[in-house]
Amino acid sequence: MASPEYVIAAEDLRRTFKSFVPGSPEKVAVDGISFKVGRGEIYGILGPNGAGKTTTIKILSTLLSPTSGKAYVLGADVDDEKAVRALRRRINMVSGGEKGLYYRLSGRQNLEFFSDLHGIPKREQKRRVSGLLETVGLSEAADVKVENYSRGMKQRIHIARALINDPEILFLDEPTIGLDPEMSREVRGLIRRLSDGGTTIILTTHYMFEAEELCDEMIIISRGRVVGRGTVSEIKEAISDVSCIRVVTEEDPSAAVEALAAEGLDASSTALLNGRFAVRFATRGDDGLGRYERMFSPFRVKSIGIEEPTLEEAYLSLVGGS
Amino acid sequence: MSPRAVCAGFRQQAIQFFTDPQWIIPSLITPFMFTMVMLFLYKDQMDGPVVLQAVLGGGVLGMWANTVFASSFSISYDRINGTLEPILISPSGAYSVLIGRSIWSTAIGLANALLVFAIAELMFGTGLSVADPALFFLTLTLTLFSLASMGMLIATTFILTRRGRILSSIMEYPIYVLSGAMVPITALPEGAGMISLALAPAWGVDAVKHAAIDGYSSMFGVGILEDSAMLAALSSILLAAAFLVMRRIERKILETGSATRY
């Protein structure tokens, strides 16, 4: 059984799917993942498409059974039918995108439907539905059919739906996918407020700034395996062999950028407002700055230095090296 | 089973029905079409029992079309719409929601059947008379219950497969024929007649005819009480089977992760 301070404990979780092509080997979606999540944390699961993020979330939210390994959520084994029935009252899930709602029903009717399925007492239901509509800023559109909602409104009503049973753990599978920056920021603010209120959040995302802003801890997975784990700064430290170099030049350094690309380094040049150019790239090894200073010198180097890697650079380094 | 979730399924289906025009085709237009075809076929023999056979046939066909469409389409809709997963991870699960939806389909089916009788009278002047209106209504409702139970069983299997809508088309005609709604079971080949014995709606149609036609000669050689008892027993078995199948299917979905495929 999971220890009580952790609300989620995944132990050597593995999930395979049969191939649709006869004779082909099984597809391994999750390959021996282990991690623990503390109560009230925002825990990130990061990884490229097909890495196994959604599969992991589906296993933890009781939508999929693991092929092997164990996962305990709020102390309940997600592969134990009886335990799962009780667990479902205490968790909920939001999938990214526009699906998961009845479009011919209004926002309020959708929330009432799902609150009935969660057995929320009738007296409580009205108060809770109105409160959630208020929380996600949809009070005025409460009685409008969901088919008339914008994408952002649909995503907000999604989140309200998932909060209908006041879950202790909320699984968010790419909740800001396809949203404009303003709406994404609103959703991130809502996630932060939920966490401040004591809800444990499991978040999958492609957006590194989102993970950096929200997550207390995270795992980075690639091809079903954990390739990095810890807090944002721990993950950055994990790539201590990587140096992030920033060069500012007076002239367009495209030729040098191309030379870096030929060496397999991911560099790009950005034109600054003051007419200068900035190049940033991550490099492994112990080349020092001298070599790059010489490489960029034809373009009149204004400054050159080593900076702390961003989470994105750490992520790309970990995923690329897996 | 959760009564709250049953009511939620009923209400959700009702709202979908009134706000989504595509429900009108199987629920209102199809039964009328069936009845028209049947009445045109029999229009030269407009005596009591023949007309009743035609009208009852149209009514039952409409009820079954509605039930099977509702069963398959509602689940396919959930699958496509991404609402199947939130239903499956709710504490109530899908079974209660499906019961609620089936009750709505049954209610609409009953309204359909009565409308079919009314339209037959108004458009064709069938001069239809029912021997025992109270028993007729009761047996018709029981028949609807049997159709809804079959719909439930089918709907549970539709949760497992994205081919629900195709299966629903395959399921429609065998039941029309084997229930005795289209032609009397006695006119079917011997083997088919044996299958009818196992079908609750066939006993329902027989019971309805008992209630409607004075001196009706049963397709199974039994009285209305035996018909009704068989109808209730077979319908209950169907419901219980639907429940058991649902449990198995929920487990299967966890194993295959197929709830979002469509």
Side-chain angles (χ1 to χ4, degrees):
Chain A
M1 188 64 82
S3 40
E5 66 267 33
Y6 294 111
V7 291
I8 293 176
E11 297 163 10
D12 200 20
L13 216 50
R14 185 179 159 85
R15 173 71 210 200
T16 58
F17 291 99
K18 279 183 187 162
S19 170
F20 289 112
V21 184
S24 298
E26 286 188 324
K27 184 186 180 307
V28 181
V30 172
D31 193 7
I33 285 180
S34 301
F35 63 96
K36 289 178 177 176
V37 181
R39 186 175 289 278
E41 273 187 351
I42 301 181
Y43 198 91
I45 302 178
L46 277 58
N49 289 332
K53 304 184 298 291
T54 299
T55 303
T56 305
I57 273 212
K58 283 191 176 180
I59 291 171
L60 297 175
S61 61
T62 77
L63 270 170
L64 197 61
S65 55
T67 306
S68 65
K70 285 284 179 191
Y72 298 96
V73 177
L74 293 166
D77 182 347
V78 297
D79 207 23
D80 175 340
E81 254 180 88
K82 275 186 188 169
V84 159
R85 248 173 268 154
L87 174 63
R88 285 174 174 170
R89 295 188 183 281
R90 303 169 65 190
I91 61 171
N92 216 322
M93 179 187 180
V94 176
S95 295
E98 299 187 28
K99 290 185 167 189
L101 297 163
Y102 291 103
Y103 281 18
R104 300 273 177 170
L105 271 61
S106 69
R108 189 191 303 280
Q109 285 166 336
N110 267 282
L111 295 188
E112 285 170 351
F113 174 76
F114 286 105
S115 75
D116 283 336
L117 265 52
H118 281 276
I120 311 298
K122 275 282 176 195
R123 244 178 294 170
E124 168 70 8
Q125 184 187 71
K126 199 174 175 185
R127 190 191 63 77
R128 196 177 290 189
V129 167
S130 299
L132 284 172
L133 287 164
E134 180 84 37
T135 302
V136 297
L138 287 174
S139 294
E140 283 182 21
D143 298 309
V144 174
K145 279 186 199 173
V146 168
E147 66 186 355
N148 296 316
Y149 281 13
S150 68
R151 192 168 187 152
M153 290 163 86
K154 283 175 190 156
Q155 194 58 7
R156 280 185 282 160
I157 201 77
H158 258 308
I159 293 176
R161 175 192 60 69
L163 293 173
I164 199 74
N165 59 328
D166 195 13
E168 290 170 58
I169 302 177
L170 183 60
F171 296 93
L172 298 172
D173 192 8
E174 300 183 29
T176 57
I177 194 163
L179 297 185
D180 63 42
E182 194 181 349
M183 199 55 64
S184 296
R185 194 168 61 181
E186 275 188 37
V187 171
R188 288 199 300 277
L190 181 58
I191 293 169
R192 176 54 69 195
R193 288 199 297 280
L194 287 169
S195 171
D196 291 344
T199 308
T200 305
I201 310 275
I202 310 298
L203 172 77
T204 76
T205 181
H206 281 300
Y207 305 128
M208 294 304 125
F209 66 92
E210 189 167 279
E212 195 155 7
E213 181 184 326
L214 291 173
C215 296
D216 300 309
E217 274 195 68
M218 65 188 75
I219 50 170
I220 296 176
I221 57 178
S222 177
R223 295 174 192 157
R225 289 175 173 273
V226 175
V227 294
R229 70 172 74 231
T231 61
V232 171
S233 50
E234 283 167 348
I235 283 179
K236 286 177 182 176
E237 280 168 22
I239 57 158
S240 55
D241 62 326
V242 174
S243 305
C244 291
I245 297 170
R246 186 172 190 267
V247 189
V248 177
T249 60
E250 299 272 4
E251 291 172 20
D252 184 356
S254 298
V257 168
E258 279 170 27
L260 288 171
E263 289 180 26
L265 298 178
D266 183 21
S268 59
S269 165
T270 310
L272 301 177
L273 286 175
N274 57 10
R276 291 173 181 162
F277 297 85
V279 180
R280 189 181 156 96
F281 57 95
T283 175
R284 286 179 194 271
D286 199 16
D287 291 345
L289 288 177
R291 177 173 173 250
Y292 297 108
E293 200 166 0
R294 284 191 296 280
M295 185 184 268
F296 280 87
S297 61
F299 312 101
R300 296 169 60 199
V301 175
K302 193 72 192 162
S303 66
I304 184 166
I306 295 176
E307 294 182 343
E308 187 190 49
T310 61
L311 181 62
E312 183 168 284
E313 283 160 340
Y315 167 88
L316 288 172
S317 172
L318 289 166
V319 169
S322 67
Chain B
M1 192 177 76
S2 154
R4 282 285 301 283
V6 171
C7 293
F10 180 90
R11 198 164 44 246
Q12 178 256 334
Q13 190 77 353
I15 296 170
Q16 292 279 148
F17 182 88
F18 287 117
T19 55
D20 194 343
Q22 65 182 318
W23 285 97
I24 292 170
I25 295 168
S27 304
L28 297 175
I29 295 173
T30 309
F32 289 160
M33 293 300 292
F34 280 142
T35 312
M36 293 304 126
V37 170
M38 297 291 264
L39 287 171
F40 275 117
L41 280 173
Y42 290 105
K43 71 177 175 7
D44 294 332
Q45 309 165 50
M46 284 289 187
D47 63 340
V50 174
V51 171
L52 198 63
Q53 171 75 36
V55 175
L56 269 181
V60 173
L61 295 183
M63 293 187 311
W64 178 236
N66 184 53
T67 305
V68 80
F69 180 80
S71 310
S72 66
F73 182 74
S74 73
I75 291 298
S76 297
Y77 183 86
D78 277 321
R79 191 180 280 279
I80 293 165
N81 214 34
T83 38
L84 189 54
E85 283 195 343
I87 289 175
L88 287 172
I89 63 161
S90 73
S92 304
Y95 186 74
S96 302
V97 175
L98 287 180
I99 287 184
R101 289 175 180 173
S102 290
I103 293 172
W104 169 259
S105 302
T106 305
I108 286 296
L110 188 60
N112 259 332
L114 298 174
L115 272 170
V116 162
F117 299 143
I119 208 162
E121 180 61 34
L122 287 171
M123 290 186 70
F124 288 82
T126 49
L128 196 62
S129 67
V130 171
D132 188 333
L135 259 183
F136 176 77
F137 187 76
L138 186 70
T139 51
L140 193 64
T141 309
L142 274 173
T143 306
L144 270 165
F145 171 62
S146 73
L147 291 170
S149 304
M150 277 185 81
M152 274 291 296
L153 184 59
I154 293 166
T156 53
T157 55
F158 290 168
I159 290 178
L160 193 60
T161 171
R162 64 190 121 171
R163 298 175 188 91
R165 296 180 81 167
I166 301 165
L167 273 174
S168 76
S169 304
I170 297 168
M171 288 301 298
E172 267 184 67
Y173 282 91
I175 302 298
Y176 294 158
V177 176
L178 293 170
S179 68
M182 201 175 248
V183 290
I185 290 169
T186 46
L188 299 176
E190 200 174 328
M194 294 299 285
I195 298 170
S196 296
L197 284 172
L199 284 179
W203 295 90
V205 169
D206 204 47
V208 169
K209 286 178 181 173
H210 262 304
I213 304 166
D214 262 333
Y216 169 69
S217 172
S218 167
M219 295 186 285
F220 301 118
V222 297
I224 191 166
L225 271 177
E226 289 88 342
D227 269 333
S228 303
M230 281 300 288
L231 176 59
L234 287 172
S235 301
S236 304
I237 290 169
L238 284 170
L239 262 186
F243 179 74
L244 292 173
V245 170
M246 187 71 210
R247 294 287 299 274
R248 292 289 295 272
I249 282 173
E250 279 187 331
R251 184 70 212 163
K252 187 82 180 162
I253 282 177
L254 287 180
E255 287 164 10
T256 59
S258 61
T260 48
R261 291 190 206 134
Y262 59 90

